[in-house]
Amino acid sequence: MNRILVTGGAGFIGSNFVRMILDEEPGVLVVNLDKLTYAGNLENLGGYMKKANHKFVKGDICNGDMVEKLIDEYKIEAIINFAAESHVDRSISEPKVFIDTNVTGTLTLLEAARDKKLTRFVQVSTDEVYGSLKPDDPEFSERTLISPNSPYSASKAAADHLVRAFGHTWNLPVNITRCSNNYGAYQFPEKMIPLMINNALNDKPLPVYGDGMQVRDWLYVNDHCRAIWVVLTEAKAGEVYNIGGCNEKTNMEVIRLILKKVGKEESLIKHVADRLGHDRRYAIDAGKIMTELGWKPTVTFEEGLEKTIQWYLDNSAWLSNVVSGDYQKYYQDMYGNR
Ligand code: NAD
Ligand code: TYD
C-alpha cells in the first residue's frame, strides 16, 4: 500500500498514525485530509508538514468532489478514515455535527472509494458501538450485538453499518477496527486522561463524573496505530477487528495513579454530576487480531502513563495553543460553576 489518503490526520490518533508512517514507511505517500476543527491542530504534525511524501490538505470529508479530485491527483490506493467528532460529552450537547461528519462524511468517502475502485477502505471505529457491559459480562467480541448508547457511539455505529453495506453491495474491500480508549501524546485535553493530568499539574480540581467506578480499557495510542497499519496491509477484506489493551481500570484507579505520578494530593478530586446515559463498562476481547494478524499491545499502562505525563510536561506551549480558544470556553461551560 504505497499511496494512502488519511482523513483526520491532524487529530490525536490520526496525527500519531501519520507521524508513525512517515517515520517507518518512507516509501508511502500520505495525503492527509483534515478540516482542522477545534480538535485538529497543525502543530500535531510539526516538522512532518515539510516532508516530501506528506501532503496536507485542509478540507471536509463531506466534500465528495474534493475527495475524488485528491484520489485522482495522488493516485490513491486506500483510505483510512480517522476523521470524526469524537467526544461523547459534546455529542450530548450538540449531536447534529456528529451525524454530519461521522455518518454523512463516511458515506461520502465510501462513495468516492467505490467509484474510484480503491483497493482498501479502513474505518477507524470504536468499542463504544457495542454499548455498555455489566461487571461480570464477557468482553466485547466482534460478534457482540451493536447497541450504541450515546449520540457519538450511535453515529459511529451508523458509519460501521454503511461500511459493511458498501462491502456487501459493491464488494468494496473494507475493514472496520473497533478500539478501546486511547491515551498518549497530542490528545486534546477534553478527554479524561489529558484533562486529569493537566488539571493536576495546575492544581485545578479533577472533575469525576458520578462515583468514578466506570470501567474503560486503556490502550497506548502508538499500539493502536500499529494495529491499524497491520489491518490495512495484512487483513482480508471484509473483516472486523477489535483492538484493546487488556487493561481494564476504573476511572478512580486511573485518576489516583495520575495524582501519585505527578505528586499531587487526592484532595484535588471533585465528584461532579454524572454524564447523561454514562456507559458503565467497556472491555475488549482482542483475541482475533492477536491470533490472525499477530498484533499485541507493547506498552504497559504504567509505562504509557509516565510517557504521557512527561509529554504534557515537555509540551506546555502545545497545550496553551490548543486550549487558547475553544477549550477554555468549553471547560468554563462544563465545569465553571461546579
Ligand atoms: P480527534 O477528535 O482528536 O480528531 C479528529 C480529527 O478529525 C480532527 O483533526 C478534526 O479536525 C478532524 N475532522 C473532524 N471533522 C472533520 C471533517 N468533517 N472532515 C475532515 N476532518 C474532520 O479524534 P481521535 O481521538 O484522534 O479519534 C480518531 C478516530 O478514532 C475517530 O474516528 C474516533 O471515533 C476513533 N476512536 C477514538 C478513540 C479514542 O480513545 N480517542 C478510541 C477508539 C476509536
Ligand atoms: P472520555 O475520555 O470522555 O472517553 P469515553 O467517554 O469515550 O470513554 O471519558 C473516559 C471516562 O472518564 C468516562 O467514563 C467518563 C469519565 N470522565 C470523567 O469522569 N470526568 C471527565 O472530566 C471526563 C472528560 C471523563
Side-chain angles (χ1 to χ4, degrees):
M1 210 58 77
N2 289 321
R3 310 176 75 83
I4 60 177
L5 175 62
V6 172
T7 68
F12 164 49
I13 307 175
S15 69
N16 275 284
F17 180 81
V18 167
R19 292 194 308 275
M20 181 190 86
I21 298 306
L22 294 173
D23 283 341
E24 295 177 12
E25 306 285 342
V28 173
L29 172 77
V30 178
V31 178
N32 183 352
L33 173 63
D34 195 297
K35 189 176 171 181
L36 297 180
T37 67
Y38 78 94
N41 192 325
L42 287 183
E43 280 195 40
N44 297 2
L45 298 159
Y48 293 81
M49 288 294 284
K50 295 204 180 96
K51 287 222 167 195
N53 57 334
H54 178 213
K55 310 285 176 202
F56 180 83
V57 181
K58 181 172 188 279
D60 192 328
I61 59 168
C62 296
N63 182 344
D65 289 343
M66 190 190 51
V67 172
E68 293 203 3
K69 271 194 201 125
L70 289 177
I71 293 174
D72 287 341
E73 182 179 349
Y74 294 106
K75 300 185 172 51
I76 295 297
E77 296 166 280
I79 293 178
I80 303 100
N81 182 26
F82 291 90
E85 288 295 330
S86 66
H87 190 39
V88 173
D89 293 324
R90 286 179 191 255
S91 83
I92 293 167
S93 28
E94 279 184 57
K96 187 175 178 303
V97 66
F98 286 71
I99 303 304
D100 295 341
T101 287
N102 300 2
V103 185
T104 309
T106 302
L107 174 64
T108 308
L109 295 173
L110 285 165
E111 287 178 326
R114 175 199 61 196
D115 295 349
K116 298 291 174 185
K117 302 190 170 28
L118 297 198
T119 54
R120 197 54 61 114
F121 186 101
V122 176
Q123 174 70 0
V124 180
S125 186
T126 165
D127 60 356
E128 301 191 27
V129 299
Y130 296 121
S132 183
L133 294 169
K134 298 206 168 56
D136 297 325
D137 283 347
E139 299 156 328
F140 300 131
S141 83
E142 290 80 0
R143 290 172 308 285
T144 302
L145 198 68
I146 305 290
S147 316
N149 288 324
S150 71
Y152 163 66
S153 54
S155 69
K156 293 294 289 186
D160 284 12
H161 287 318
L162 285 169
V163 172
R164 178 190 147 85
F166 271 66
H168 184 85
T169 307
W170 289 285
N171 288 323
L172 182 68
V174 296
N175 294 108
I176 299 171
T177 60
R178 297 194 178 123
C179 190
S180 60
N181 287 58
N182 283 214
Y183 68 100
Y186 297 94
Q187 187 166 29
F188 194 85
E190 66 184 352
K191 303 281 169 60
M192 186 183 87
I193 287 190
L195 177 86
M196 299 300 173
I197 292 174
N198 287 299
N199 282 16
L201 290 173
N202 292 299
D203 295 305
K204 287 188 187 158
L206 273 48
V208 176
Y209 296 165
D211 64 3
M213 296 311 284
Q214 303 83 4
V215 173
R216 298 292 183 265
D217 170 66
W218 294 98
L219 179 68
Y220 192 59
V221 63
N222 300 43
D223 278 331
H224 183 194
C225 293
R226 276 191 313 103
I228 292 167
W229 182 250
V230 171
V231 169
L232 174 70
T233 53
E234 292 176 32
K236 217 169 73 190
E239 296 294 327
V240 177
Y241 290 97
N242 284 354
I243 302 167
C246 308
N247 179 49
E248 279 185 63
K249 298 229 176 297
T250 64
N251 292 342
M252 288 306 291
E253 282 177 293
V254 174
I255 290 163
R256 289 204 173 100
L257 191 58
I258 290 172
L259 285 169
K260 192 169 146 210
K261 294 218 178 277
V262 302
K264 296 290 167 93
E265 299 292 327
E266 292 194 7
S267 55
L268 284 175
I269 294 175
K270 189 176 177 203
H271 288 269
V272 298
D274 208 351
R275 173 186 279 172
L276 288 179
H278 198 167
D279 282 341
R280 199 68 184 164
R281 173 176 169 238
Y282 305 140
I284 278 273
D285 173 356
K288 180 176 171 185
I289 190 170
M290 291 181 179
T291 318
E292 288 186 11
L293 304 180
W295 173 89
K296 61 176 187 323
T298 62
V299 179
T300 65
F301 189 60
E302 289 244 349
E303 194 191 335
L305 197 57
E306 277 166 19
K307 284 189 197 199
T308 306
I309 291 169
Q310 194 57 48
W311 189 86
Y312 283 97
L313 280 169
D314 294 342
N315 288 276
S316 50
W318 177 90
L319 192 71
S320 50
N321 183 17
V322 305
V323 303
S324 56
D326 182 81
Y327 179 67
Q328 292 288 31
K329 182 179 175 308
Y330 175 75
Y331 190 87
Q332 187 63 34
D333 291 349
M334 290 286 287
Y335 309 115
N337 302 322
R338 283 172 172 172

